[in-house]
């Protein structure tokens, strides 16, 4: 009885019907996800449609539940593996094995990309040297010890940690931050006369009112992430401060002769090397405003490798360096500012491996079928 | 003011086959792998060598809105509000968010004049001036250089500290800023920013505004 059920499930899992249904669902998801990007932005739509098991509450789907990309992808992978296992293990089928193995590698590559790919950007002006990349959306509260005249000690508290609230100890310092309130997105305004006092009693925030706003995910929108934090050191409170991406004014306090600044900002990852932008070019076709070329000439200086060299990064000709890929992505400030999109994906080679496997598999399969066909023809002639 | 960054190429939008997209379906919960620990870096002092770059999609820092209409009501007038007289052709638009007011100028080109008021010393003059310099890609100043860069203007409200900075490079940005503290403890920033040419044309009028500052 159990064997019969297992056999039936196995037959379903390896069936082409299941493949067709899942591919149809996937096509729908790709269509909805593409349409949703208009309102939700690329990342928001991908998270809602492709990286969820069930798509919930989406206006495009009339708020009805729909299988998400994670579920469809998982079932498709199981279907592919079941189908692969079902292929007879023989030289005659080696091409098919290679093709299926290539597809499994492709899925694995996308799995790794989704799990581990980090998208950041490096924004740099002509003549400027930059040694960090920063996130597009994720924030950090930077507690920076600026006491040393040469170095800054940067302690980065990620927004995900702030969102949990409570006490956050800053290792290596005597400071503990009490996160009293966290706003993923908020709007700030000057405090109106007679309005309830701000939660902040130190810094600029004491005169600022804050209103929570829905989180935005569109590509051209940014959350004004904010929080009320109370630094405590040596048993002494340094007051409650409002920290926000919307606050440009610097804020700092001094504990036992060391000065700490507080800044909510896009999350940074500092690099062991630095880029200096020597030249940015924005060429147009003569007599038109149509862009012909965008390029950044950067000096890469890496003391750990005793390296200093010029690199030209231009469209579709990225720089691959130390596990990161730097693409020419944007520009600004009257062509004096260049934005490089930075992608770090440990599985970037897998799609290429997959393509090679699938290509070889198809060639092998073609050769085997051709040989069989020629043999049959030969047999017919002889017969 | 910086140009808005124009997207040219987004690797995240690279053509992807549906087979590849379905791999995204394998992304289970816990995507992003973002660390939830406090990280520590020792880095060369940023302000000493380079200004902080703007992000690819700049946030709207306090008082640095780029002219888009805001759905935030204009901020309330602080006690002892600052007043000014506008030259011919200039008009005042209501502020929004942290911005107290915006001036419409009669000059063409990329140009913006704004008024921001912040409670207290707002981080101090040096830090704010260095922040402004960073916005036009100029290196930070120390106290001595700040004093050199400062000119003063006598107005009814008292002494207004004035700074005039022009960026390097082929397309120059310029910023003229007035910095004044009022007796109620607020700090006021009046800034004229934009491309160097229109700022140069509007500077005389802007200095007239700074000279006319008085308390309500």
């Amino acid at each position: 009885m159990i064997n019969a059920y297992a056999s039936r499930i196995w037959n379903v899992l390896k069936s082409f019907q299941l493949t067709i249904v899942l591919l149809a669902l996937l096509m729908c998801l790709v269509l909805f996800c593409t349409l949703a990007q208009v309102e939700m932005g690329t990342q928001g739509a991908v998270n809602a449609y492709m990286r969820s098991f069930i798509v919930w509450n989406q206006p495009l789907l009339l708020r009805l539940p729909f299988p998400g990309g994670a579920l469809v992808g998982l079932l498709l992978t199981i279907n592919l593996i079941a189908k692969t296992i079902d292929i007879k293990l023989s030289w005659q089928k080696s091409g098919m094995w290679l093709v299926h193995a290539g597809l499994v590698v492709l899925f694995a590559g996308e799995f790794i990309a989704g799990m581990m790919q980090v998208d950041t950007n490096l924004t740099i002006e002509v003549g400027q040297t930059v040694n960090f990349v920063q996130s597009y959306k994720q924030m950090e509260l930077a507690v920076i010890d600026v006491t040393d005249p040469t170095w800054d000690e940067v302690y980065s508290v990620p927004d995900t940690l702030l969102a949990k609230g409570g006490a956050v100890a800053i290792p290596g310092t005597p400071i503990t931050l009490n996160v009293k309130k966290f706003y993923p997105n908020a709007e700030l305004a000057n405090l109106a006369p007679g309005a309830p006092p701000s939660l902040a009693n130190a810094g600029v925030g004491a005169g600022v009112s804050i209103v929570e706003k829905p989180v935005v995910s569109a590509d051209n929108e940014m959350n004004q992430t904010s929080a009320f934090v109370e630094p405590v050191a040596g048993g002494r409170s340094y007051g409650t401060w409002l920290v926000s991406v919307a606050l440009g004014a610097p804020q700092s306090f001094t504990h036992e002769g060391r000065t700490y600044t507080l800044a909510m900002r896009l999350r940074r990852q500092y690099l062991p090397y630095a880029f200096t932008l020597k030249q940015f070019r924005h060429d147009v076709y003569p007599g038109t405003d149509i862009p012909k070329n965008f390029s950044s000439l950067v000096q890469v200086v890496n003391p750990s490798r005793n390296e200093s060299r010029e690199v030209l990064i231009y469209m579709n000709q990225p720089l691959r360096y130390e596990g990161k890929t730097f693409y020419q992505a944007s520009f600004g400030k009257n062509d004096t500012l260049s934005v490089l999109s930075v992608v770090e994906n440990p599985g970037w080679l897998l799609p290429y491996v997959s393509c090679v496997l699938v290509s070889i598999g198809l060639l092998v399969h073609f050769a085997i079928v051709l040989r069989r066909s020629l043999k049959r023809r030969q047999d017919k002639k002889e017969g | 003011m910086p140009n808005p960054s124009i997207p040219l190429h987004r690797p995240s939008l690279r053509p992807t086959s549906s087979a590849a997209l379905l791999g995204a379906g394998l992304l289970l919960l816990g995507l992003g792998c973002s660390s939830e620990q406090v990280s520590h870096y020792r880095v060369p002092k940023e302000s000493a060598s380079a200004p902080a770059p703007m992000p690819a999609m700049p946030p709207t820092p306090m008082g640095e809105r780029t002219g888009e209409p805001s759905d935030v009501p204009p901020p309330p007038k602080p006690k002892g509000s600052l007043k000014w007289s506008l030259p011919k052709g200039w008009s005042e638009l209501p502020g929004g968010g942290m911005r107290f007011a915006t001036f419409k100028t009669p000059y063409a080109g990329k140009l913006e004049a704004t008024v921001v008021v912040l409670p207290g010393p707002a981080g101090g003059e040096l830090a704010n001036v260095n922040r402004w310099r960073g916005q036009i890609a100029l290196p930070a100043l120390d106290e001595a250089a700040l004093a050199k860069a400062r000119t003063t203007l006598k107005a009814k409200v008292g002494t207004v500290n004035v700074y005039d900075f022009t960026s390097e490079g082929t397309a120059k940005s310029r910023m003229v800023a007035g910095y004044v503290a009022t007796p109620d403890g607020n700090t006021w920033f009046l800034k004229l920013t934009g491309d160097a040419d229109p700022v140069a044309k509007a500077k005389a009028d802007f200095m007239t505004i700074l000279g006319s500052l008085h308390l309500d």
Side-chain angles (χ1 to χ4, degrees):
Chain A
M1 183 72 176
I2 293 171
N3 276 351
Y5 273 119
S7 170
R8 194 175 293 174
I9 290 170
W10 178 248
N11 284 336
V12 170
L13 283 179
K14 69 178 186 183
S15 67
F16 275 123
Q17 288 89 331
L18 180 63
T19 315
I20 299 299
V21 169
L22 291 173
L23 284 177
L25 286 173
L26 192 65
M27 281 174 64
C28 295
L29 277 172
V30 170
L31 175 69
F32 290 131
C33 185
T34 307
L35 293 174
Q37 286 182 24
V38 177
E39 293 293 326
M40 302 172 75
T42 312
Q43 205 57 41
V46 168
N47 285 340
Y49 286 85
M50 303 310 293
R51 295 183 174 175
S52 58
F53 281 91
I54 301 289
V55 183
W56 292 106
N57 203 24
Q58 291 300 328
L60 267 177
L61 297 169
L62 305 172
R63 304 195 181 280
L64 296 171
F66 195 84
L71 183 61
V72 176
L74 186 65
L75 290 174
L76 250 167
T77 309
I78 293 170
N79 178 242
L80 178 69
I81 292 170
K83 198 73 207 162
T84 310
I85 293 170
D86 203 44
I87 299 171
K88 199 175 143 196
L89 196 58
S90 72
W91 283 112
Q92 292 295 312
K93 298 287 181 185
S94 56
M96 295 310 292
W97 269 94
L98 279 171
V99 170
H100 283 75
L103 286 174
V104 172
V105 170
L106 182 69
F107 291 1
E110 281 301 312
F111 176 78
I112 289 171
M115 290 291 284
M116 301 174 81
Q117 179 169 310
V118 181
D119 289 292
T120 51
N121 70 83
L122 188 146
T123 307
I124 189 167
E125 295 186 31
V126 175
Q128 191 186 3
T129 301
V130 170
N131 65 341
F132 62 86
V133 293
Q134 61 186 1
S135 169
Y136 285 102
K137 296 278 184 194
Q138 292 177 313
M139 301 288 171
E140 67 179 9
L141 172 58
V143 181
I144 309 171
D145 180 346
V146 294
T147 316
D148 192 289
T150 322
W151 298 92
D152 282 341
E153 303 285 349
V154 181
Y155 302 92
S156 159
V157 185
D159 52 356
T160 43
L161 191 55
L162 292 172
K164 290 180 176 173
V168 179
I170 310 293
T173 75
I175 300 169
T176 296
L177 287 177
N178 287 327
V179 184
K180 294 194 164 177
K181 199 149 174 53
F182 176 76
Y183 302 86
N185 189 19
E187 201 146 54
L188 273 57
N190 282 47
L191 202 62
S198 168
L199 199 58
N201 54 21
V204 171
V208 172
S209 69
I210 184 163
V211 180
E212 188 155 10
K213 293 279 172 187
V215 173
V216 293
S217 61
D219 294 343
N220 60 349
E221 290 182 305
M222 175 174 254
N223 289 308
Q224 305 286 297
T225 306
S226 310
F228 286 102
V229 295
E230 179 195 24
V232 177
R236 179 184 164 190
S237 165
Y238 283 89
T240 300
W241 302 69
L242 172 64
V243 286
S244 172
V245 173
L247 282 176
Q251 306 190 84
S252 59
F253 66 95
T254 302
H255 172 71
E256 291 181 351
R258 301 201 76 81
T259 301
Y260 299 90
T261 65
L262 300 170
M264 186 76 85
R265 63 188 190 188
L266 286 164
R267 199 182 293 180
R268 290 184 184 182
Q269 182 194 353
Y270 286 95
L271 309 169
Y273 48 91
F275 282 17
T276 303
L277 181 60
K278 301 188 82 170
Q279 188 187 44
F280 177 75
R281 285 185 67 93
H282 171 188
D283 301 327
V284 293
Y285 287 99
T288 72
D289 290 332
I290 299 168
K292 182 181 175 188
N293 172 54
F294 299 94
S295 65
S296 296
L297 181 65
V298 294
Q299 183 84 26
V300 181
V301 178
N302 189 342
S304 65
R305 286 163 59 162
N306 205 16
E307 181 181 18
S308 178
R309 64 181 170 109
E310 278 184 2
V311 179
L312 185 68
I313 299 170
Y314 51 100
M315 287 188 71
N316 301 320
Q317 192 62 42
L319 165 68
R320 295 190 193 276
Y321 192 74
E322 299 255 311
K324 289 184 165 62
T325 310
F326 297 82
Y327 298 85
Q328 180 67 57
S330 307
F331 66 99
K333 282 199 175 179
N334 291 330
D335 295 350
T336 61
L337 177 140
S338 175
V339 180
L340 304 176
S341 180
V342 186
V343 179
E344 188 173 7
N345 176 14
W348 71 276
L349 263 177
L350 291 181
Y352 298 97
V353 174
S354 163
C355 285
V356 171
L357 280 175
V358 170
S359 304
I360 293 174
L362 288 173
L363 284 173
V364 168
H365 188 67
F366 176 73
I368 289 168
V369 172
L370 184 67
R371 185 169 164 268
R372 194 190 304 150
S373 169
L374 289 173
K375 196 164 178 283
R376 267 191 210 138
R377 194 178 286 180
Q378 187 69 26
D379 290 349
K380 229 180 220 174
K381 264 188 191 171
E382 288 173 3
Chain B
M1 298 297 291
N3 278 342
S5 299
I6 301 169
L8 305 176
H9 172 73
R10 292 290 304 273
S12 57
L13 290 177
R14 64 190 180 277
T16 317
S17 69
S18 55
L21 262 175
L22 72 85
L26 291 173
L27 307 171
L28 310 178
L29 302 173
L31 285 173
C33 290
S34 58
S35 162
E36 290 208 347
Q37 291 180 338
V38 178
S39 318
H40 170 237
Y41 303 92
R42 169 179 277 199
V43 295
K45 210 165 250 315
E46 200 174 289
S47 55
S49 58
M54 53 178 282
M57 186 179 55
T60 310
M62 175 179 274
E64 306 298 339
R65 281 174 185 274
T66 49
E68 310 89 16
S70 167
D71 56 354
V72 184
K77 292 201 170 194
K79 260 191 311 184
S81 187
L82 204 63
K83 296 290 245 180
W84 45 77
S85 310
L86 292 178
K88 198 177 164 199
W90 287 59
S91 57
E92 186 176 328
L93 306 170
M98 300 304 299
R99 180 179 288 191
F100 188 80
T102 303
F103 296 143
K104 193 163 180 273
T105 77
Y107 300 98
K110 194 186 280 181
L111 183 68
E112 192 178 42
T114 58
V115 182
V116 172
V117 55
L118 296 178
E125 190 164 349
L126 178 66
N128 277 296
V129 169
N130 281 336
R131 182 167 59 88
W132 299 337
R133 285 176 61 83
Q135 287 163 4
I136 55 169
L138 288 174
L141 302 177
D142 57 17
E143 283 287 0
L146 180 78
K148 262 191 200 167
R150 180 191 299 137
T151 57
T152 57
L153 184 73
K154 289 281 173 206
K156 279 187 186 164
V157 69
T159 303
V160 181
N161 292 345
V162 182
Y163 298 93
D164 186 345
F165 301 122
T166 304
S167 71
E168 306 291 332
T170 44
K172 289 182 168 41
S173 300
R174 187 171 174 183
M175 171 183 296
V176 182
Y179 185 103
V180 61
T182 47
D184 55 358
N186 287 327
T187 308
W188 294 75
F189 310 120
L190 289 89
K191 281 169 59 186
L192 178 70
T193 51
D195 289 345
D197 286 345
V199 170
K201 285 179 193 153
K203 185 181 174 183
D205 284 356
F206 186 69
M207 295 303 284
T208 308
I209 296 173
L210 294 182
S212 73
L213 293 178
H214 58 278
L215 288 173
D216 199 359

